[in-house]
């Protein structure tokens, strides 16, 4: 009988694409700190080089007040993530080692005329999805997340690698890292972890501690990752022998890495950002966009609503699709799907959701209090399935008991 397996991945804050997301979201936060109605759509690209690296900032920003220093934001954020040395793969602190090119203009008039109205129309056409399920709810460490298990665990692994590097638990680690988790299912429910894959950049001189032996170096890295990352992040009742653990599958992942080894671009990790492939994804990325962009805010609202449906006990799986037209506030369509896990029909669930939630951009921003500089923490570790106030203050992850009660009635 074939195994029933599902896999999700995550990437750490030092991955080149996530570095770009972090810079773009730092710019969003800086602009919202100046003007809560700032219109921001900024993308970042990075690439290291033998002599010099580059950060490219491109996009549109309109705000009331003086613009922030975009170059300083980019350099400071990259350094904060750990890219402050050319030997690691990128040195954002040095103008000689890293140049910043800035191409930021104002929001186009044809877009702003539809957004800057009393009703506040959507900033663009598009489709957005939100998803929630019960997979995490059998595990104390994950309770309240209502999230696909493989995605939740892969996120926990990358966040743990980052934290363990920063606090000195694994001092040999570098910012660039990835994780991947495969879950085995039985009777459509998660049973155990089948495979964990870790890739983590490390100090090129680490092998010197082992007489130059790359084999012993890899054994050490695997042992440290098992002890300080896997056993810390994965609930013990999900790991049973034998399970597969693969660390640095090519043998080494040493300096230089990060943007030196791979170019980065904002918005290139949208499945990592959401549900690990378990739920569908709309057409747009999140990072670098202010909340007037429904690519971001409506995806947050759809997740918020789906989580309430599951928490209310109306379905064990719920996916909500929203669609918009540029300049129009009310969604063109709202669709709820329960994948056969509800005693109600999907049309009945849709009616309930429409009666409880207002998906106009202005209402979403007001209800979720989105006009604040809260977006930098979303840039790595996932936008969903994290505990509010512990792993990021994400209002779209909070449950409103009044809305749960309204859905039940």
């Amino acid at each position: 009988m074939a195994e029933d397996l599902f896999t999700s991945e995550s990437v750490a804050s030092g991955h080149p694409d996530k570095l770009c997301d972090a810079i773009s979201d730092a710019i969003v936060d800086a602009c919202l700190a100046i003007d809560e109605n700032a219109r921001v759509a900024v993308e970042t690209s990075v690439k290291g080089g033998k002599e010099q690296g580059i950060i490219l900032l491109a996009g549109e920003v309109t705000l009331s007040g003086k613009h922030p220093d975009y170059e300083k934001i980019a350099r400071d954020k990259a350094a904060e993530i750990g890219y402050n040395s050319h030997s690691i793969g990128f040195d954002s602190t040095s103008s000689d080692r890293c140049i910043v090119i800035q191409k930021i203009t104002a929001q186009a008039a044809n877009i702003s005329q539809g957004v800057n109205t009393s009703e506040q129309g959507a900033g663009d056409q598009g489709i957005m999805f939100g998803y929630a399920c019960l997979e995490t709810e059998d595990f104390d460490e994950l309770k309240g997340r209502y999230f696909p298990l493989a995605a939740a665990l892969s996120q926990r692994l990358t966040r743990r690698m980052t934290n363990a590097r920063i606090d000195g638990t694994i001092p040999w680690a570098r910012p660039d890292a990835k994780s991947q988790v495969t879950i085995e299912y039985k009777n459509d429910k998660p049973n155990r972890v089948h495979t964990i894959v870790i890739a983590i950049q490390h100090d090129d001189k680490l092998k010197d501690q082992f007489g130059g032996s790359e084999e012993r170096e890899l054994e050490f890295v695997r042992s440290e990752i098992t002890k300080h990352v896997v056993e810390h992040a994965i609930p013990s009742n999900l790991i049973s022998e034998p399970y597969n653990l693969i660390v640095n599958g090519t043998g080494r992942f040493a300096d230089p890495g990060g943007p030196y080894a791979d170019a980065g671009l904002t918005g290139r990790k949208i499945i990592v950002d959401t549900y690990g492939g378990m739920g569908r994804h709309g057409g747009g990325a999140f990072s670098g966009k202010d909340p007037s962009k429904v690519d971001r805010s409506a995806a947050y609202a759809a997740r918020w609503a789906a989580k309430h449906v599951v928490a209310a006990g109306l379905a064990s799986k719920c996916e909500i699709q929203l669609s918009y037209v540029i300049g129009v506030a009310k969604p063109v369509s709202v669709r709820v799907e329960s994948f056969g896990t509800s005693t109600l029909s999907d049309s009945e669930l849709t009616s309930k959701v429409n009666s409880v939630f207002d998906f106009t951009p202005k209402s979403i921003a007001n209800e979720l209090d989105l006009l604040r500089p809260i977006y930098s923490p979303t840039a790595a570790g996932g936008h969903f399935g994290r505990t509010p106030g512990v792993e990021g203050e994400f209002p779209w992850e909070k449950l409103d008991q009044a809305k749960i009660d309204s859905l039940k009635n």
Side-chain angles (χ1 to χ4, degrees):
M1 184 176 179
E3 293 176 302
D4 185 6
L5 307 174
F6 190 86
T7 303
S8 294
E9 70 164 341
S10 181
V11 297
S13 60
H15 185 283
D17 293 333
K18 286 284 115 188
L19 169 61
C20 293
D21 286 344
I23 292 172
S24 295
D25 276 334
I27 289 173
V28 171
D29 281 351
C31 292
L32 290 175
I34 295 169
D35 176 7
E36 68 174 17
N37 294 310
R39 300 291 181 246
V40 186
V42 172
E43 298 189 14
T44 304
S45 182
V46 299
K47 182 68 181 92
K50 187 174 182 181
E51 300 298 331
Q52 192 176 62
I54 184 172
I55 300 174
L56 172 63
L57 307 175
E60 301 79 44
V61 175
T62 297
L63 75 165
S64 299
K66 184 180 179 181
H67 284 244
D69 186 338
Y70 299 120
E71 177 174 342
K72 185 176 188 303
I73 292 169
R75 289 187 185 277
D76 288 352
K77 179 55 68 172
E80 176 189 319
I81 287 171
Y83 288 115
N84 55 8
S85 171
H86 192 66
S87 63
I88 291 175
F90 203 72
D91 183 3
S92 67
T93 65
S94 168
S95 57
D96 292 329
R97 291 291 196 179
C98 174
I99 61 172
V100 177
I101 298 175
Q102 177 184 311
K103 296 293 182 182
I104 295 177
T105 61
Q107 184 180 58
N110 288 333
I111 296 175
S112 63
Q113 69 181 357
V115 178
N116 296 328
T117 65
S118 58
E119 286 191 335
Q120 190 182 326
D124 202 350
Q125 70 178 53
I127 57 172
M128 297 84 209
F129 288 93
Y131 182 83
C133 64
L134 288 173
E135 288 192 3
T136 52
E137 301 313 293
D138 289 334
F139 309 99
D140 290 341
E141 300 94 325
L142 304 171
K143 214 171 252 307
R145 298 173 192 241
Y146 297 97
F147 205 65
L149 186 59
L153 296 181
S154 59
Q155 288 179 6
R156 279 170 66 90
L157 287 168
T158 52
R159 289 197 297 269
R160 175 56 185 168
M161 282 189 279
T162 296
N163 292 336
R165 172 181 60 83
I166 291 171
D167 69 20
T169 301
I170 48 175
W172 44 265
R174 296 293 182 256
D176 197 356
K178 288 184 176 183
S179 70
Q180 186 171 287
V181 176
T182 300
I183 297 293
E184 176 190 86
Y185 287 76
K186 283 190 176 180
N187 301 319
D188 202 34
K189 291 191 68 175
N191 180 51
R192 70 181 184 99
V193 169
H194 179 278
T195 300
I196 294 173
V197 180
I198 297 290
I200 184 164
Q201 181 189 355
H202 59 82
D203 184 349
D204 187 44
K205 296 180 180 178
L206 182 61
K207 65 182 179 181
D208 294 346
Q209 300 179 28
F210 307 99
S213 170
E214 294 184 5
E215 182 178 346
R216 290 175 59 200
E217 175 191 63
L218 181 58
E219 289 175 359
F220 170 78
V221 170
R222 189 180 194 277
S223 173
E224 291 290 283
I225 289 297
T226 300
K227 178 180 178 181
H228 297 298
V229 176
V230 174
E231 293 178 358
H232 188 281
I234 307 297
S236 58
N237 57 338
L238 275 171
I239 296 182
S240 59
E241 298 294 344
Y243 80 98
N244 302 315
L245 175 62
I246 301 165
V247 178
N248 289 356
T250 59
R252 299 191 88 224
F253 183 11
D255 296 335
Y260 188 97
D262 188 12
L265 184 66
T266 297
R268 201 158 56 178
K269 289 291 180 286
I270 58 176
I271 301 304
V272 165
D273 284 342
T274 53
Y275 308 101
M278 183 66 80
R280 283 174 279 199
H281 194 289
F286 306 152
S287 290
K289 298 174 182 176
D290 75 83
S292 74
K293 278 63 172 183
V294 285
D295 279 342
R296 182 168 218 160
S297 57
Y300 291 169
R303 158 64 178 172
W304 190 49
K307 189 173 182 180
H308 278 75
V309 170
V310 175
L314 300 182
S316 58
K317 295 179 184 178
C318 178
E319 184 177 75
I320 295 178
Q321 184 199 51
L322 306 176
S323 69
Y324 293 85
V325 174
I326 188 169
V328 179
K330 190 175 181 180
V332 173
S333 65
V334 178
R335 183 177 187 273
V336 180
E337 183 170 347
S338 66
F339 306 95
T341 66
S342 176
T343 57
L344 301 175
S345 69
D346 287 346
S347 61
E348 289 174 311
L349 286 174
T350 300
S351 294
K352 280 182 171 287
V353 166
N354 272 322
S355 70
V356 174
F357 295 90
D358 183 344
F359 293 114
T360 59
K362 187 173 183 178
S363 178
I364 292 170
N366 288 338
E367 283 213 68
L368 294 179
D369 197 13
L370 297 182
L371 303 180
R372 301 177 290 141
I374 59 172
Y375 299 101
S376 286
T378 69
H383 291 245
F384 309 122
R386 294 162 67 168
T387 304
V390 177
E391 296 163 346
E393 188 63 29
F394 299 166
W396 51 90
E397 289 298 310
K398 296 179 181 179
L399 293 171
D400 182 329
Q401 189 59 49
K403 291 189 183 298
I404 290 176
D405 293 341
S406 296
L407 285 168
K408 288 180 177 179
N409 295 330

